[in-house]
Amino acid sequence: MNPEKEKAPSMLQTPLRFTPLFRKYLWGGRRLQTLLGKSIGPEGNYAESWEIVDHGPDQSIVLAGKWAGQSLNEILMKEGEALLGRDFEQWSQTHQNQGLGKRFPLLFKFLDCHRPLSVQVHPNDAQASNLSSPDLGKTEAWVVLEAVPGSKVFAGLRSGIGKADLAKAVTAGRTEEMLHCFEPQAGDCIFIPAGTVHALGAGLVIAEIQQASDTTFRLFDWNRVDASGESRPLHIAQSLEVIDETSGPVDPVAVTVEESGLETLVNCDKFVLRRRKLSSHLSSHLTLGGDDRMRILVSVEGSCSLKNDPSGQPLKRGQTVLVPAAAGELAIELETATACLLEITLS
């Protein structure tokens, strides 16, 4: 009987900070800077900040430490087991079955919805794998960081509305009437499984976790045109094909609170999204990890410092860090009286 080969120590033992990738779309604004402190350009509408991404040419690049200058995909290829820990085997098998190039399975971003986004829908894994350019499906979840009065979320079809009703409404220019909508509050979480028709209305700032996919079918774009008078292309047939008409209206999730005060927002087969509210009145420090799991940590309120963070900077509101499984326990110290972290793991 041969003894099991002992693993060599991993070099992936510190938190990873990345340079955000910014996206300019016609619905963006300036709150990535004014609310979240991002260093965007002096002009233009900045719609999204991709904080953690490994999707083809779109790559997060490490800011500091031993891995500075390397992409998330390079790290995954070299140190996949150290990065993903106990989830490595399942991740590896899933990607092999789907026939896709190996990629980090999640994408995290911030969105500034200065104007409404298009009404859209994303395919599930099986549907996306059959596209001409195969991709992952796109299940996602939103946490509302800011909502001006009157802002709306459109999520799911209204009760009693089916795919045939929606198809007729699209042809008649009445798409919006088919959609369930509500006015969200800051702190709300909305879970959008693949196949759910949805749109974010004007006035929202959103933190979004999703599968590592960029496949979107646009069903309706509010009849708007760009500066040259051109409308963006729609994908009506594709949208109707992948919509899950059984999903029905979607409202903010019912939060599950553990004894420690940790809130579970979403627990699905793609990711687990939790929220930690910290206060110096209770404790000025926190220890996470040590369970052989990768974590994405996002500061949505306040500031805290992370032990062994090569950047040497506090994690401030609007900043994101990826903690490899091999990093072990991570000590977190409050820098402000209160803070709030989103904590994301694989399922």
Side-chain angles (χ1 to χ4, degrees):
M1 181 175 176
N2 295 325
E4 185 175 334
K5 184 178 179 182
E6 186 176 342
K7 294 180 183 178
S10 170
M11 295 178 61
L12 199 64
Q13 296 180 343
T14 60
L16 299 171
R17 302 255 199 141
F18 299 96
T19 303
L21 300 179
F22 297 119
R23 293 288 185 266
K24 286 184 175 182
Y25 301 130
L26 58 83
W27 47 265
R30 303 293 301 176
R31 285 179 296 176
L32 294 178
Q33 179 183 65
T34 59
L35 185 70
L36 300 180
K38 301 292 180 183
S39 297
I40 58 177
E43 297 178 354
N45 298 327
Y46 286 80
E48 298 183 351
S49 176
W50 292 19
E51 302 282 301
I52 304 285
V53 58
D54 170 15
H55 189 269
D58 295 316
Q59 289 291 324
S60 292
I61 305 298
V62 180
L63 273 170
K66 295 179 181 179
W67 299 89
Q70 296 200 44
S71 71
L72 179 53
N73 188 260
E74 288 175 315
I75 295 171
L76 182 67
M77 294 300 99
K78 295 174 183 176
E79 293 274 4
E81 192 167 359
L83 179 62
L84 299 180
R86 61 195 285 187
D87 298 307
F88 175 76
E89 291 298 333
Q90 179 63 42
W91 163 83
S92 183
Q93 187 63 44
T94 298
H95 278 256
Q96 181 177 338
N97 291 342
Q98 291 173 332
L100 299 173
K102 290 186 175 180
R103 70 182 74 163
F104 188 77
L106 299 178
L107 191 160
F108 180 81
K109 64 174 73 168
F110 293 109
L111 298 86
D112 175 10
C113 311
H114 182 66
R115 299 169 65 189
L117 278 67
S118 62
V119 177
Q120 54 192 240
V121 65
H122 309 298
N124 60 31
D125 287 340
Q127 293 162 338
S129 68
N130 290 321
L131 298 173
S132 57
S133 296
D135 205 349
L136 289 174
K138 188 176 174 184
T139 286
E140 60 192 274
W142 307 325
V143 176
V144 180
L145 303 185
E146 183 173 84
V148 303
S151 299
K152 291 183 179 180
V153 161
F154 301 85
L157 299 174
R158 288 170 40 211
S159 294
I161 299 298
K163 192 178 295 189
D165 303 304
L166 178 61
K168 292 178 182 178
V170 171
T171 301
R174 297 170 41 245
T175 304
E176 183 180 354
E177 297 176 25
M178 301 294 105
L179 307 179
H180 173 67
C181 73
F182 60 90
E183 295 187 12
Q185 303 295 316
D188 282 350
C189 177
I190 301 98
F191 178 49
I192 305 291
T196 304
V197 62
H198 61 273
L200 288 165
L204 300 171
V205 176
I206 299 292
E208 176 180 302
I209 183 65
Q210 59 164 88
Q211 291 179 264
S213 169
D214 198 28
T215 300
T216 296
F217 296 138
R218 194 178 296 122
L219 183 65
F220 177 61
D221 201 28
W222 311 104
N223 301 315
R224 59 189 166 194
V225 296
D226 61 20
S228 61
E230 297 293 325
S231 58
R232 296 194 293 177
L234 300 178
H235 317 99
I236 295 173
Q238 298 98 317
S239 297
L240 293 173
E241 183 176 353
V242 303
I243 283 174
D244 178 5
E245 61 184 337
T246 67
S247 62
V250 175
D251 287 306
V253 302
V255 177
T256 301
V257 182
E258 301 178 11
E259 290 184 6
S260 63
L262 178 66
E263 299 175 345
T264 298
L265 305 180
V266 176
N267 187 348
C268 69
D269 64 337
K270 308 304 180 187
F271 53 80
V272 180
L273 171 61
R274 297 184 173 94
R275 179 164 53 200
R276 291 182 179 270
K277 296 180 179 179
L278 310 176
S279 171
S280 58
H281 296 296
L282 300 175
S283 176
S284 63
H285 64 276
L286 171 71
T287 301
L288 296 178
D291 57 356
D292 197 30
R293 305 209 80 163
M294 172 279 303
R295 281 171 168 77
I296 297 171
L297 299 178
V298 185
S299 176
V300 294
E301 178 188 323
S303 175
C304 55
S305 60
L306 312 178
K307 185 180 179 181
N308 297 328
D309 183 351
S311 75
Q313 300 296 316
L315 188 71
K316 299 179 180 179
R317 187 184 196 190
Q319 295 182 343
T320 307
V321 65
L322 176 58
V323 184
E329 289 191 347
L330 177 68
I332 300 176
E333 295 283 343
L334 274 174
E335 298 275 343
T336 50
T338 60
C340 183
L341 298 175
L342 300 181
E343 179 182 348
I344 302 155
T345 62
L346 293 172
S347 299

